[in-house]
Amino acid sequence: MARLLFFGKLADLAGAKAREEKLSDGAHKISDLINAIGLKDETLAAALREETVRFVVNEQIVSGDVPISDDDEVAFLPPVSGG
Amino acid sequence: MISVTDQPFDPANALSKFEQRARGAGAIVNFIGKVREEADGDPVEALVLEHYPGVTEQSIAEIAADAQARWPISAVDIIHRVGRLSPGEPIVMVAVASAHRRAAFEAADFLMDYLKTRALFWKKEIRASGETWIEPRDDDYKHAALWEDKKEGA
C-alpha cells in the first residue's frame, strides 16, 4: 500500500491528512496514482493535478512525474505560506 | 540553530541565547513575525500552521545554507511556530550575526523572503467570517525572485 499525505487545502479536499492506496500491478508514476484517485474523487484529482502542487516521495522533493512503488510515501504539497 | 515548535516561544529569551552563541560578531539583526490582529478589516481569531515533520526542517536548513553561501554570516537562528496561534503571538524569529551590519540585514531579509515562499508551511487564517488558507501574495514571490536575479548577476 502506498501511503499518501495531503497538506493544507488538499487535506481539506481529501477529507483526511493521510490515506492508503493500493497500486495495481505494473509500472506506476505519480500521474497513475492521481488517475486512480480520480476514479473515486475527480475534484481531489483535479486539485492534485494543479501546476502549483509539488510532490514529495519518501521525504524527498521530486520534480515531475516520477516512478513510484507500492510501499512509497507520496506527499502532495499545495503552495506554501510560512513566516 | 533551526527549531520548528508547537510550543510558544519568548523572542527576548531566544535572542539573549543567540547573542551568547554569536559572541564576537559586530552586528546582529533580529526579525520577529507576529500574528496580525486583523486581515482586510476582519478580526483574526487564530492562525493554524501546518508542517511536514522532517521535510520542513530540511527545507529550512537548505534556505539557511543558501544564506550562508551568499553572505559572510557567523551564526543564524530560525525559530518557526506550528499549531494554533492567537493574535499577537510570535510566529517566526530570524536572527543573523555577522562582522558588519550590511550582510546581517540582507541575510535576514533574504531568509524571510525564502521562508515565506519556499519553506514547507501551510497557514490557515481563522476569522469571524470563516477559514481561509493563505498563499503568498504576488509581492512575496516577486521579492523572493529578486534574490535569484542577484545570484545570477553575481
Side-chain angles (χ1 to χ4, degrees), chain A residues 12-29:
Chain A
D12 285 353
L13 272 177
K17 290 188 182 210
R19 84 157 68 146
E20 301 207 315
E21 188 82 26
K22 176 96 187 99
L23 295 182
S24 53
D25 294 337
H28 290 283
K29 289 181 162 186

Side-chain angles (χ1 to χ4, degrees), chain A residues 19 33 52 63 72:
Chain A
R19 84 157 68 146
L33 182 60
T52 53
S63 53
D72 283 341

Side-chain angles (χ1 to χ4, degrees), chain B residues 75-144:
Chain B
V76 180
D77 245 15
I78 299 171
I79 305 173
H80 207 298
R81 272 295 307 278
V82 290
R84 191 182 174 95
L85 286 80
S86 302
E89 269 194 85
I91 308 174
V92 61
M93 177 174 133
V94 163
V96 182
S98 185
H100 301 284
R101 76 178 185 287
R102 187 70 57 203
F105 269 124
E106 287 188 6
D109 193 18
F110 165 87
L111 286 168
M112 280 311 304
D113 283 342
Y114 271 34
L115 283 171
K116 276 202 166 288
T117 54
R118 300 197 175 194
L120 302 187
F121 291 101
W122 296 275
K123 190 156 65 180
K124 184 158 65 174
E125 210 165 61
I126 303 189
R127 306 187 200 173
S129 57
E131 303 182 357
T132 329
W133 286 102
I134 307 292
E135 291 188 3
R137 297 167 298 156
D138 287 348
D139 233 29
D140 293 327
Y141 288 123
K142 216 180 292 166
H143 286 129

Side-chain angles (χ1 to χ4, degrees), chain A residues 5-12 17 54 56 58-61 73-83, chain B residues 49-53 55 58 80 91-92 112 115-124 133-136 141:
Chain A
L5 300 178
F6 304 102
F7 291 91
K9 63 182 181 189
L10 296 175
D12 285 353
K17 290 188 182 210
R54 289 187 295 161
V56 174
N58 300 328
E59 303 202 343
Q60 295 296 321
I61 294 181
E73 180 181 270
V74 183
F76 296 92
L77 316 182
V80 297
S81 58
Chain B
L49 274 138
E50 235 183 58
H51 77 307
Y52 187 171
V55 187
Q58 194 183 305
H80 207 298
I91 308 174
V92 61
M112 280 311 304
L115 283 171
K116 276 202 166 288
T117 54
R118 300 197 175 194
L120 302 187
F121 291 101
W122 296 275
K123 190 156 65 180
K124 184 158 65 174
W133 286 102
I134 307 292
E135 291 188 3
Y141 288 123

